[in-house]
């Protein structure tokens, strides 16, 4: 199966006393509202612009969409403030834009700001509208000061406009700048930037969707819900374009040096790994500085330094497992597939895999070929199956989603479990990986990696089993290409050790101004209840 699956090793022990290390101290903060200034007469004229409501009974979302069609302006708002599905009755007629919005939403306290092609709806002191205690460890402050100056934060949720479903792992970045983060499994994100980028443009993008671009100052200090439109490729084009999948992969491999960085970079990354078994959660999070070598060098040449770190763990039950993840940082580095070629990208891959062109989609408004692969029927070893997303114009690999073939994943037990108690039987049920890249001025860098490993655990001589979920992910939050030198040996950590056992000093202002992946709902609840 190659180095990837064997690089992430799970240590499982049964009946071992578990000592939970906890740091001391907690702090409650209240995020102040960052008010906006109106843009003079032009802003006032836009608000007085007359719009027509022809249908008086509809949902709030439908009526606001009609205003967008008339004005060419797109609405941005927090769905907790404006109820999309609420049905309202409005007297048909002509209204000033400002009045129409307040009548439709039923909220006279709404503030309205127009900038470029967007209408922002928000409440003054919106963060106080729903009182909530926030620990500094949970959410970064929007106005922390550092030696580099002030910072601001943009937060919210990203959803599909058609289905209203959250969009997971969408990329949020600064247009033509080396900053970024991703949304979590609930589509939520927070993006912290220096004040010097207030006039920059923020881009939200995801595979298969039309990208959105808006000015950072429009949403600084605010929370909003962002809706993305699906980008559909006509069926006729998919049928007409005959794409040779193996040739497409060869083109991608030949273009690696051109598309990906050849010189060393510094990457500031947020990293999280977690273990969930029964009602227990163990979580390790860190901000890492990575010395990342060029595309022609392997992962062994890369170095990692821990800038910030914390561990959280719930108290286990008597019959719980002590589970540890080994080499998770190394696995995250190995998931840079264009540097560390897995077996399905090796020159002889056609001997083990069948490849097919199955779709055409888009990302960042660029056409992307979807190449599916699966091991040949006669091969029964635990190999991979998945999809590669290759840019149709420059042949860059933009994303890969793959898993150990579910038919044979049980055979991978010995490759994954490095040490197992005799008292339990553990069988892998699903092992999945996600890798994405982002382009900055035509050069691609690693953007986000995630691994999800699901197991079934059954104590021997017992009838029932329990689920064990292990995951890790890393997101590239900032890339630097100037004055890049190797990390001093005494500051490096071993990427092959058990990361959760790395020694660290607790910092009550853990997040600071670093970008992070927001935790999902179950992790939020766990973090809120945790006693630091």
């Amino acid at each position: 199966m190659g180095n990837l699956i064997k690089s992430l090793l799970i240590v499982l022990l049964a009946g071992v006393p578990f000592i939970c290390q906890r740091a001391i101290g907690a702090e409650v903060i209240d995020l102040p509202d960052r008010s906006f200034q109106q843009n003079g007469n032009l802003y006032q004229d836009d608000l007085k612009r007359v719009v027509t409501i022809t249908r008086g009974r509809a949902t709030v979302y439908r009526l606001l969409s009609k205003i967008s069609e008339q004005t060419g302006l797109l609405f941005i708002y927090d769905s907790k403030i404006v109820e999309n599905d609420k049905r309202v009755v409005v007297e048909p007629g002509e209204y000033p834009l400002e009045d129409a919005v307040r009548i439709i939403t039923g909220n006279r306290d709404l503030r309205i700001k127009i900038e470029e092609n967007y209408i922002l709806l928000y409440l003054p002191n919106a963060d106080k509208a729903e009182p909530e205690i926030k620990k500094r460890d949970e959410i970064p402050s929007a106005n922390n000061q550092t030696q580099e100056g002030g910072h601001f934060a943009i937060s919210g949720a990203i959803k599909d406009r058609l289905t209203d479903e959250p969009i997971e792992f969408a990329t949020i970045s600064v247009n033509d700048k080396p900053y970024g983060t991703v949304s979590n499994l609930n589509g939520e994100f927070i993006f912290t930037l220096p004040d010097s980028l207030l006039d920059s443009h923020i881009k939200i993008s995801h595979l298969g969707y039309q990208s959105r671009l808006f000015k950072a100052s429009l949403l600084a200090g605010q929370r909003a819900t962002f809706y993305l439109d699906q980008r559909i490729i006509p069926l006729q084009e998919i049928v007409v374009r005959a794409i040779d999948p193996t040739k497409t992969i060869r083109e991608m491999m030949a273009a690696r040096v051109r598309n990906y960085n050849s010189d060393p970079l510094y990457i500031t990354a947020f990293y999280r790994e977690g273990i969930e078994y029964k009602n227990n959660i163990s979580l390790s999070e860190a901000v890492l500085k990575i010395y990342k070598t060029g595309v022609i060098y392997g992962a062994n040449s890369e170095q990692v330094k821990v800038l910030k770190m914390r561990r959280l763990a719930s108290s286990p039950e008597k019959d719980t497992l002590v589970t540890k993840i080994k080499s998770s940082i190394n696995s995250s580095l190995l998931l840079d597939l264009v540097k560390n070629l897995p077996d399905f990208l090796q020159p002889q891959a056609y001997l083990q895999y069948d490849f097919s062109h199955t779709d055409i989609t888009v990302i960042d408004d660029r056409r992307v070929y979807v190449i599916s692969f699966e091991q040949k029927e006669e091969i029964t070893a635990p190999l991979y199956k998945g999809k590669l997303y290759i840019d149709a114009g420059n042949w860059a690999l933009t994303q890969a989603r793959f898993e150990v073939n579910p038919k044979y994943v049980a055979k991978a037990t010995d490759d994954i479990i490095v040490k197992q108690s005799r008292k339990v039987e553990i069988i892998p049920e699903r092992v999945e990986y996600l890798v994405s890249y982002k382009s900055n001025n035509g050069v691609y860098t690693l953007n986000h990696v995630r691994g999800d490993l699901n197991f079934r655990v059954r104590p021997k001589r017992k009838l029932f089993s329990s689920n064990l979920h292990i995951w890790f992910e890393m997101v590239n939050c900032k890339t630097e290409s100037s004055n890049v030198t190797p990390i001093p040996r005494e500051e490096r950590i071993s990427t092959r050790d058990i990361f959760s056992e790395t020694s660290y000093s607790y910092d009550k202002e853990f997040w600071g101004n670093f970008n992070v992946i927001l935790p999902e709902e179950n992790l939020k609840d766990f973090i809120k209840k945790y006693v630091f």
Side-chain angles (χ1 to χ4, degrees):
M1 296 188 62
N3 293 329
L4 176 59
I5 190 66
K6 294 181 180 180
S7 72
L8 183 70
L9 303 175
I10 313 302
V11 181
L12 291 167
L13 306 173
V16 178
F18 188 91
I19 299 176
C20 177
Q21 296 187 12
R22 299 189 177 194
I24 300 174
E27 186 171 353
V28 178
I29 64 169
D30 192 14
L31 301 183
D33 177 57
R34 179 187 287 263
S35 60
F36 292 109
Q37 294 183 354
Q38 298 179 355
N39 294 327
N41 294 331
L42 178 61
Y43 173 77
Q44 295 295 339
D45 291 343
D46 283 338
L47 287 180
K48 294 176 181 178
R49 178 177 179 175
V50 175
V51 295
T52 302
I53 298 178
T54 57
R55 182 181 177 184
R57 183 186 296 272
T59 63
V60 169
Y61 179 81
R62 181 61 179 164
L63 291 173
L64 292 179
S65 296
K66 287 296 183 182
I67 292 179
S68 289
E69 291 174 7
Q70 294 178 52
T71 62
L73 301 172
L74 297 175
F75 284 92
I76 298 178
Y77 51 82
D78 185 352
S79 56
K80 294 180 180 179
I81 297 174
V82 178
E83 298 180 49
N84 278 329
D85 297 329
K86 180 181 177 181
R87 297 192 68 83
V88 296
V89 178
V90 180
E91 186 71 25
E94 294 184 343
Y95 297 86
L97 174 58
E98 184 175 19
D99 292 347
V101 170
R102 291 200 170 103
I103 291 171
I104 291 170
T105 61
N107 192 335
R108 294 287 178 180
D109 296 327
L110 274 182
R111 298 285 180 86
I112 304 173
K113 178 181 173 65
I114 298 177
E115 188 165 324
E116 296 182 340
N117 296 322
Y118 296 96
I119 305 176
L120 173 66
L121 309 181
Y122 66 102
L123 288 174
N125 299 320
D127 56 305
K128 298 178 182 178
E130 296 182 33
E132 179 181 5
I133 295 176
K134 300 173 182 177
K135 292 180 180 177
R136 183 178 299 273
D137 294 271
E138 181 188 351
I139 299 178
S141 171
N143 65 336
N144 281 352
Q145 298 292 316
T146 68
Q147 293 179 352
E148 299 174 351
H151 286 71
F152 67 95
I154 297 169
S155 64
I158 303 171
K159 295 186 176 183
D160 184 298
R161 187 184 298 277
L162 184 64
T163 66
D164 203 42
E165 291 295 318
I167 299 176
E168 61 183 36
F169 309 137
T171 297
I172 304 95
S173 60
V174 180
N175 205 32
D176 297 326
K177 298 290 183 182
Y179 295 87
T181 189
V182 297
S183 60
N184 66 12
L185 292 172
N186 304 130
E188 298 175 328
F189 74 94
I190 186 164
F191 194 23
T192 304
L193 294 167
D195 280 344
S196 59
L197 294 177
L198 269 170
D199 290 329
S200 63
H201 284 78
I202 305 299
K203 181 167 68 174
I204 298 178
S205 59
H206 191 280
L207 190 72
Y209 288 87
Q210 182 79 35
S211 297
R212 294 280 298 274
L213 198 68
F214 56 88
K215 201 167 184 179
S217 59
L218 178 67
L219 286 168
Q222 298 292 323
R223 187 188 190 282
T225 302
F226 302 86
Y227 288 89
L228 299 188
D229 296 296
Q230 295 183 23
R231 181 77 179 274
I232 307 299
I233 303 297
L235 179 62
Q236 297 91 328
E237 184 168 347
I238 297 176
V239 173
V240 170
R241 287 179 178 265
I243 307 300
D244 183 339
T246 54
K247 181 181 178 182
T248 300
I249 292 175
R250 287 198 301 270
E251 294 281 8
M252 183 270 290
M253 295 297 295
R256 281 195 308 157
V257 176
R258 181 180 72 244
N259 285 325
Y260 303 90
N261 209 78
S262 298
D263 298 319
L265 298 170
Y266 281 145
I267 288 179
T268 302
F270 174 74
Y271 174 81
R272 174 186 289 138
E273 66 179 42
I275 301 168
E276 190 170 2
Y277 179 66
K278 295 186 176 179
N279 296 319
N280 302 311
I281 296 178
S282 175
L283 201 64
S284 297
E285 300 177 318
V287 178
L288 307 176
K289 182 176 183 178
I290 301 173
Y291 172 76
K292 190 160 187 60
T293 52
V295 66
I296 62 173
Y297 300 95
N300 290 336
S301 61
E302 298 179 338
Q303 301 155 7
V304 178
K305 174 183 178 180
V306 175
L307 301 179
K308 298 262 188 175
M309 181 179 175
R310 72 172 181 182
R311 289 194 299 267
L312 302 88
S314 55
S315 299
E317 301 172 2
K318 291 182 179 180
D319 64 342
T320 193
L321 296 176
V322 175
T323 309
K324 299 179 181 180
I325 312 175
K326 187 176 182 181
S327 297
S328 52
I329 300 292
N330 189 54
S331 294
S332 298
L333 298 177
L334 283 175
L335 278 169
D336 187 350
L337 302 183
V338 295
K339 280 175 60 76
N340 313 289
L341 301 180
D343 56 1
F344 52 81
L345 290 181
Q346 295 288 346
Q348 303 300 313
Y350 67 91
L351 297 176
Q352 295 179 300
Y353 290 92
D354 291 322
F355 296 88
S356 58
H357 170 237
T358 53
D359 202 357
I360 297 177
T361 185
V362 294
I363 187 168
D364 288 336
D365 301 321
R366 294 181 62 87
R367 194 145 302 180
V368 173
Y369 296 142
V370 183
I371 307 298
S372 298
F373 62 92
E374 186 170 357
Q375 66 192 79
K376 293 181 178 295
E377 288 188 6
E378 63 271 19
I379 297 177
T380 59
L383 302 184
Y384 298 106
K385 63 175 295 187
K387 294 182 178 181
L388 304 171
Y389 299 84
I390 300 174
D391 190 292
N394 58 23
W395 306 110
L397 178 66
T398 62
Q399 189 174 122
R401 291 176 177 264
F402 60 103
E403 63 180 324
V404 180
N405 195 321
K407 293 180 182 178
Y408 310 112
V409 67
K411 295 183 178 182
T413 302
D414 292 338
D415 290 326
I416 301 173
I417 308 299
V418 66
K419 187 176 182 181
Q420 180 175 341
S421 170
R422 296 177 181 178
K423 297 181 180 180
V424 296
E425 178 185 33
I426 178 167
I427 302 296
E429 292 192 317
R430 204 161 194 100
V431 178
E432 301 172 301
Y433 300 100
L434 165 67
V435 186
S436 68
Y437 296 85
K438 61 182 177 182
S439 173
N440 183 28
N441 296 320
V443 178
Y444 289 80
T445 55
L446 188 65
N447 179 43
H448 177 227
V449 300
R450 181 177 172 106
D452 282 275
L453 297 85
N454 292 278
F455 302 87
R456 186 177 70 254
V457 179
R458 185 176 66 85
K460 292 184 178 179
R461 294 186 296 277
K462 289 192 177 182
L463 182 61
F464 300 104
S465 61
S466 301
N467 295 323
L468 170 66
H469 178 210
I470 295 172
W471 75 95
F472 64 94
E473 65 181 327
M474 183 175 73
V475 61
N476 178 352
C477 299
K478 184 180 179 182
T479 304
E480 300 172 87
S481 57
S482 301
N483 302 317
V484 178
T485 58
I487 296 172
R489 185 176 298 275
E490 64 274 12
E491 297 179 8
R492 304 175 197 169
I493 63 167
S494 171
T495 61
R496 298 178 183 274
D497 289 343
I498 297 173
F499 180 71
S500 62
E501 295 182 349
T502 301
S503 60
Y504 72 102
S505 297
Y506 179 75
D507 181 354
K508 68 178 182 179
E509 296 186 1
F510 174 76
W511 297 123
N513 292 311
F514 290 108
N515 278 305
V516 303
I517 306 173
L518 283 183
E520 287 76 38
E521 288 302 323
N522 64 326
L523 296 183
K524 280 185 182 178
D525 292 340
F526 170 54
I527 293 171
K528 284 180 181 178
K529 296 174 183 177
Y530 195 82
V531 180
F532 287 91

